[in-house]
Amino acid sequence: MQVTIHGIGIVGAFGSGIDAFSEALARKERCTKSVVVQSSSGQKEMPFYRTDTTRLNEFIPRTNLRRVDHYARMGLLAASLALKDSGEVKIRRSRLGIVVATGYGASATTSAFLDSFINEGDTFPSPTHFSNSVHNAAAAHISIFLKASGPCLTVSQFELSLASALLTAMTWLEERRVDFVLLGSVDECCDILSYCWWRFFGEWSKFQVEPFRFGRQSAIPGEGSAFFLLSSPKRNEGAYCNIVDVQTGNMKSEKPSLSEKGLLIVSADGHKQCGKSYREFLGKSTRTVSFTPVYGSFPTNNAFDMAAAALILKRGGTFLPPYAAPQPVISRSKEPLPYEDIDLVQCLKIGMERDFGFITLCRT
Amino acid sequence: MKKNLPIAVTGMGCICAAGAHVDESATSLFEGKRNLRPPSRFKSTRKETYPVFEVPDDFLPAKLRKREDIHLTSKLAVAAAYEAIENAGLSIGQLAKKRVGVCVGTTVGSSMNNEDFYREFRNGGNPDMVPITRYLRSNPASAIAREFLLKGPCQTVVNACSSGTDAIGIGLSWIRSGICDIVVAGGTDELCRVTFNGFISLMITDDSPCKPFDKYRKGLNLGEGAGILVLESERSYQERKGRIRSYILGYGASTDAYHLTAPHPNGEGLRRALKEVMTSCNVQATEISFVNAHGTGTSDNDRVESNVLNELLPGVLFLSTKGYTGHTLGAAGAIEAVFTIACLEMGRIPANAGFSVHDPDLPVSPVKKTTSFQGTIALSQSLAFGGSNGVLLFKRG
């Protein structure tokens, strides 16, 4: 089971579009925005990778977006960018499927719906907030605005959401249920999630995610969306790469099948609890990088790892400057990584309960 | 990938307001019991009463009832999974030797919407984190995988009201593609104030027992429950001489790409999903014995379904079982799949509860009384918020 990536759309704190992402990786961009968090000792301003979706107006008139919330806007923008990025690829919209991965769904709108009946009483809950609070709201808006009428699915499996969704996208393509799939991730950060974050982890790092300092809690919450236009293996000059395998499992009973030749991108995003599992697994691996300081921590940030992997495989050495790893470390390697000779990249995400998603990509 | 290979259902479980397990639920359906009452686990300040199909606490096995680590949605899923796995004649030891995946649909089960927690947070308090920890432990597919020590792929589908149907369809693909030997697939959902208030806000909730396809239908009644199927590869059930209750012949899926909450007025998506499954399985309308329709009792849904069924499956018997269970959201497609298989085994379908007066705007109406049939093939279909349509085609085992 293999699939080809024809286009990528991505939106995060760094901006929107694959070129903005590429530049952010090159700049080793850090978190510069903040969020006000409610805590027992009053409100605190904390760093946060906030995403701006203003660019969505390039694709959809603003008036049509009045009832579309931030969660769905991120997904809409990334999905629209993925189609645009795929250029000349011809797609019958009735043969275009959508699979969306999300960790927490439309959390802000769920809160807004609760607000509507807490404030106004049970008699006046907001129907707009309710209908947009369902996890598949982003996928629904994407299907409506992009007129994609193939099957449409949303999957929520916390840190394993992307790997799980990818499995279904690959299966759909293999059984020819569709010709193309827009596979994507969407997760947002909001007041209630920030609060939970603070309660679970205390005050978080004010400086930088330090992915390879496994014993230290340095995670900073983020949000964003990444979409990939996938098909069965197809020759296409503009294609990024192929996805050749996806594995899910639990580190307690099995380990991902790591290639000795490739590059490993880990979603180590500064969570001490997950850091232990990464440390154990990475013992034998040498060529390992993490780009989480560019987009922060959220359940589906491995979609951003997958986008980085696709860029490395497509653009090779011309894309990223060497990650010589000044402190704080981004790469475990102290030497510049020779991206141009990499034909295979693997992306590993480990969850809080040691469950993992492992995706292997290679050159077309 | 064996694209159109029929896949065996070797076990099934169900818990809903109609019964604590499959046999009890089926008996209730044929006896016409409708266990409808005002919600007992939460209160509403509304003057009007909207009855629901609630699962009585004692329907859950005692050991599950006492558990506090997972929420009710997952308890319902685990309860139905116990019945389904036992019904399939599988032991934990046997499961450990096979590649067993879990694919479960839900809506409430993946939503962080604990109202008490949120109220205290909003008021500047420091609410206890237990509800959040419980939510993080309660992903329904993960809860089943943990309970039965399953190590295959694990997926919770959150596709609104077609989640249960879609989850079974995905499980079907996992077996066909050789990813799994067995898939525990289905759907689960619990009643809560969020969905209760939400559906009332959309003005599609009936304040009396729902009347799917009836001229005087006023909307849906919410329900809760879980339905689980054990799907199994030929090699797996032959090795252990498992019993086949049914085959899933195929799964069709499409999207209306039309509106967030309303179905396409011409049923475009449903029509494509139905055509897809019938074409891929090479099944003609005349071979289909009955359709277990989505039949929520809302004006739009029932009109669209009636029109599409009249066009594509003229003369085929159909019913909605939501008059016995309520609309169980993410569980609906799975519970209805269980009922479809049970009816295929019995050779009869129950009356469409709540239906009595033909609506002249609908070209066809459901069965009014228990009706016997001759064939071996039946359909179960689901429509959802977001425009998703899912259809499963079953054959008697």
Side-chain angles (χ1 to χ4, degrees), chain B residues 251-268:
Chain B
Y251 160 64
S254 71
T255 311
D256 288 344
Y258 169 72
H259 191 271
L260 192 56
T261 55
H264 190 285
N266 299 329
E268 290 295 338

Side-chain angles (χ1 to χ4, degrees), chain A residues 8-10 55-56 58-60 73-86 142 145-146 182 227:
Chain A
I8 299 175
I10 190 162
R55 194 180 166 193
L56 186 54
E58 285 177 25
F59 299 94
I60 300 165
R73 283 180 190 219
M74 288 192 292
L76 262 174
L77 177 53
S80 303
L81 288 165
L83 282 186
K84 185 180 178 188
D85 187 50
S86 67
I142 292 166
F145 282 110
L146 300 185
L182 265 173
F227 270 77

Side-chain angles (χ1 to χ4, degrees), chain A residues 7 9 120 122 133 191 213-214 261 269:
Chain A
E120 306 293 333
D122 287 351
S133 71
D191 290 350
R213 296 184 79 168
F214 297 122
K261 293 179 184 172
D269 52 11

